[in-house]
Every structure is written in structure tokens, then in C-alpha cells.
């Protein structure tokens, strides 16, 4: 992750595989959607995984905020609506 000045802020291993699309900034964190179906909430300051959900479906695009929900696109084009991952998931 790079900050607004192009300096590396943190570096983590993508343990859930390849990303399905661009991360979504949400509050001070990011949501990452992985092609294998996992969605994680990552602390923006450190890159630490705060929470995750496993959709059980391969994903084909990054997450999109839809009101208070997260819209996810399956690799087959199916749309899924989910609560964002939180520490209570």
C-alpha cells in the first residue's frame, strides 16, 4: 500500500490469493475482494486483517458500497449483497 505521496505505507502477503478487483476504501480501512470468494476488511494504517467473510462464491470484481451494504459480483456475473466484514462476523 502506498500513501498519498507515493511512499510505501505497508506490505503484506495476500494470503487469500488474487484480488478480484480494486480495494474499496471504507472509513479508515479497505475492503479487499478475492477471486476465491473471501472478502476482508484491512486496517488502512497497518495492512492488518481486521475481519473476513467467505461468500462461498468465486468473485469477479472488487467490492462496491451500496448504502450500508457491499455489492459483490460473482465471476459468473451474479450479484451478491452483503454486510461489510466486521469484527463481529
Amino acid at each position: 500500500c502506498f500513501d498519498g505521496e507515493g511512499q510505501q505505507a505497508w506490505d503484506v502477503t495476500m494470503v487469500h490469493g488474487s484480488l478480484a478487483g480494486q480495494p474499496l476504501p471504507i472509513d479508515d480501512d479497505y475492503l479487499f475482494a478475492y477471486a476465491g470468494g473471501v472478502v476482508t476488511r484491512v486496517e488502512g494504517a497497518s495492512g492488518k486483517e481486521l475481519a473476513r467473510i467467505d461468500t462461498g462464491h468465486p468473485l469477479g470484481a472488487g467490492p462496491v458500497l451500496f448504502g450500508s451494504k457491499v455489492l459483490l459480483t460473482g465471476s459468473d456475473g451474479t450479484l451478491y449483497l452483503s454486510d461489510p466484514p466486521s469484527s463481529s462476523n
Side-chain angles (χ1 to χ4, degrees):
C1 179
F2 294 90
D3 64 20
E5 297 176 8
Q7 301 298 313
Q8 185 172 335
W10 44 264
D11 180 16
V12 296
T13 301
M14 306 300 272
V15 297
H16 302 293
S18 300
L19 291 176
Q22 293 185 353
L24 173 67
I26 185 168
D27 299 324
D28 293 328
D29 302 330
Y30 294 95
L31 295 184
F32 291 163
Y34 292 87
V38 172
V39 179
T40 62
R41 184 178 192 122
V42 173
E43 185 177 55
S46 69
K48 176 184 174 190
E49 183 178 300
L50 301 173
R52 83 171 149 249
I53 56 174
D54 189 341
T55 67
H57 304 282
L59 299 174
V64 174
L65 200 56
F66 188 74
S68 64
K69 302 284 187 178
V70 175
L71 184 65
L72 302 165
T73 304
S75 61
D76 64 355
T78 302
L79 298 178
Y80 302 99
L81 197 57
S82 173
D83 289 321
S86 69
S87 57
S88 62
N89 288 126

